[in-house]
Amino acid sequence: MDNQTVLAALRERFAAEILAVNEFRGDLSLTFTPKGYLAAAQFLRDDPDLAYTFLENLCGVDYLGRKPRFEVVAHLTSMRHRHRVCLKVGCDEPEPTVPSLTPLFPTANYQERETFDLLGIRFDGHPSLTRILLPDDWVGHPLRKDHPLGDEEIAFTFNQERIYARKPFVRE
Amino acid sequence: MLESYVPVLILFLIAVFIAAFVITLSALLGPRRSTPRKLAPYESGMDPVGPAIRRIPVKFYVVAMLFIVFDIEVVFFYPFALVFRQLGPAGLAAMGVFFLVLLVGFVYEWKKGALRWE
Amino acid sequence: MGIEEKAGNLGIVTTTLETVVNWGRTNAMWPLLFGLACCAIEMMGAQASNYDLSRFGMELNRASPRQADLMIVAGRVSRKMAPVVRRLYDQMPEPKWVIAMGDCAACGGIFNNYAIVQGVDEVVPVDVYVAGCPPRPEALIDGIMMLHQKVMREKISGKKESPIRIDQPLVQVK
Amino acid sequence: MTEPITVPTPQQIIEPAVAGRTETMVLNMGPHHPSTHGVLRLVLELDGEVVVNVAPDVGYLHTGIEKTMESKTYQKAVVLTDRMDYLAPLSNNLCYALAVEKLLDVEIPERAQIARVLLTELQRISSHLVWLGTHALDLAAMSVFLYAFREREQILDIFELVSGARMMTSYFRIGGLAYDLPSDFIPTVEQFLAVMPSRIDEYEDLLTANPLWLERTVGVGVIDAQSAIALGLTGANLRATGVAYDVRKAMPYSGYETYSFEIPVGKNGDIYDRYRVRIAEMRQSVKIVQQATERLRELGPGPVVTSNRKVAPPPKREITESMESLIHHFKLWTEGFKPPRGDAYVSIESPRGILGCYVVSDGSPKPWRVHFRAPSFINLQSLAHMAKGRMVADLVALIASLDPVLGEVDR
């Protein structure tokens, strides 16, 4: 089970949905349209001889400046064939939405909630899409490239008066 | 006849005195700075959810009843254990009947599943 | 303290009482079981068999703040955890002290970003800062002994010694 | 799957309770709790002693490591990976280093590979010792906690000997190791290896046939293989259900295919099987460390950093001799190396499960995006599935058997 057989199987069924194929350092990664992404994941999981039953990793990436700005990356592993394939799907700026894999793989639940929490990518079909890591009243999605790091100025001897005057040292 | 109990009385009085002394001392000397935030209920750092007073499931009462029944049984055993040599076989028979009655109760309860917790 | 504050300064009486009370406090200070991150593992290491914290009367790690005297903030405090830390500090009975263990608790450490409170002294008044990431168990024990010296200097009159700030001249510990 | 696997969220439990519609009691096994192994908050829905529903609420240790890494160069980001899974910092380093080395397509010298395997296996033993100590402590076996930390101190002394720091060593750098192995490294490791197997037997005597331990762990928190794979449970928890999947055997990395070791597998996926699997894993790790020390001894001294000067700095003494290595040194430490555009995903077998690192690079010296697949974060999803219908006391044992590390959960 190497990249070519998987690629052939996928091309055969989802030729229209595959936007790009990339083999970088021996890893096969295919970029899908949203509709093809869900169908391919379903096919890879249910096909008896492919058997990609284990969704290893699902995360979002913010390519600021590129046309489909956000991208969701899912790595599917076949435990029987010890092979990993990577499905990617792009989604764009105003309201990035991607079909959710949670109905297929319950393990995607937390990973999609985290991607929503930190990057703001909505997953439709997800049973309970709420913030998971940040406090519920947090505004903004920190992992976006336009979100500042939020770091404070480091206090050295020359600027410590200004910083400590502003810093609320708690009294009793 | 009562003289032999005087040391027990003295011991009891000393114990009560020490306990009272310590409690009043800490009540007097201890600083009382109770702020509303300090008096808030502690539920591992978060606010408690839902009403505090609520109906306790019935399982807890069943266990409480059983405990009382068999605890009293043990209490009756203590005086018997002190003098069972003087009582001889008659005492043993009487206590045996008492124990058998309770044993029936225990077996019934065991088979009824009151001891199983799920 | 209740009666001493009303009775005021009776010279030799209050000083001896002071040393007795402070001696009692330092040698049986129960820490609050409050491990957050990596420093908590080092704190557990300090409590376990090799670096035994029980030698300082810290045998028991009380889980509830009602029975704890010392809060060792061991680890990084995130924005979501800050109100919980403040609530736990408030719920501790009155003679209470705080050790900020590790760089992340002392000043935010290497995580200078949106998620970490830059130094737990924004949330709770800290008495001793222990440096290190994570500080070795010996460093934690040194911090605890420094806290004991500080507690021995505390006055009965209830004025709590303010935490050592950078701009204050460092108090010479005799 | 019999009934659909659902992963509840805290809001789903709190709203009906606040509205007063439910008979059950909602309790916070909150961020500050002695037996949640860190700042994990569990919202419990209880009917008396029986857990009706449990929803983990994480994020109380969210440190924004992935955001901070985007503002650091590749070498400086190694330090941040240490603080994620603070019971096995070397596994994080190894995963990040392998991912970036895959991106750079750089070759690591043999000696560094063996040292990495040796130290990662030692780290696995020390992490399992902390798990064993805290798991036994949760079930009231205090003495096991004290014994386990006695062993752990020996391993930490080895790490201190190698890198100077006890826990946060940051010893694996991109391109090999940070410093060379000291001369008395092998004797110290052999001294530890002579003692360790007998100590593991001590733990087995203490716990394996202990009736109290059996009462609290056998048949508790059972999960079957199929729903474990569906929920993404990995590591010893997955192997306890009978699935023999270990990344060190399935997709070997840094030379693991050349070592001979077995994968311990359980049968019915309860807490007792996880305990047995982890204890057997410790024995296997000792075997791997033995093989690695023999190889190190045969190999003798050699380079520990890749010879590709674009990636790894030249040794200090070379700087004074040749101008070229001075330029390399200066370039590397001021600006850092620039990997080619693209992304790479590597997953290794950390003590908690499959730890994956996905690095995206846009050609600049700073990583564009780094994502860690944290095994504890994903293992927590199966908590509700296993805990339903059990008692609260079993929940405590269940959390300990999942061995979550909250630094990794809330990266």
Side-chain angles (χ1 to χ4, degrees), chain D residues 288-356:
Chain D
I288 297 175
V289 172
Q290 261 152 4
Q291 293 166 38
T293 36
E294 279 138 26
R295 284 207 192 140
L296 270 185
R297 193 181 287 278
E298 288 149 22
L299 205 62
V304 266
V305 185
T306 174
S307 51
N308 173 351
R309 286 293 173 257
K310 287 269 185 300
V311 167
K316 274 293 188 305
R317 66 189 182 310
E318 241 180 61
I319 293 174
T320 50
E321 288 140 14
S322 80
M323 185 58 193
E324 192 212 353
S325 46
L326 178 64
I327 296 169
H328 282 305
H329 184 85
F330 177 76
K331 205 86 167 59
L332 273 175
W333 289 124
T334 50
E335 191 204 20
F337 52 81
K338 293 193 174 70
R341 290 178 68 92
D343 55 359
Y345 176 79
V346 165
S347 66
I348 68 165
E349 184 68 33
S350 97
R352 255 145 291 289
I354 294 179
L355 170 69

Side-chain angles (χ1 to χ4, degrees), chain B residues 34-56:
Chain B
S34 50
T35 60
R37 284 181 67 92
K38 183 183 279 190
L39 302 178
Y42 164 70
E43 193 172 318
S44 50
M46 303 300 286
D47 302 330
V49 174
I53 306 134
R54 59 166 53 80
R55 287 208 351 253
I56 309 281

Side-chain angles (χ1 to χ4, degrees), chain A residues 18-38:
Chain A
I18 296 180
L19 304 176
V21 176
N22 181 355
E23 236 184 287
F24 183 71
R25 299 282 190 269
D27 285 351
L28 172 70
S29 66
L30 302 108
T31 311
F32 280 90
T33 62
K35 190 165 60 55
Y37 164 74
L38 196 60

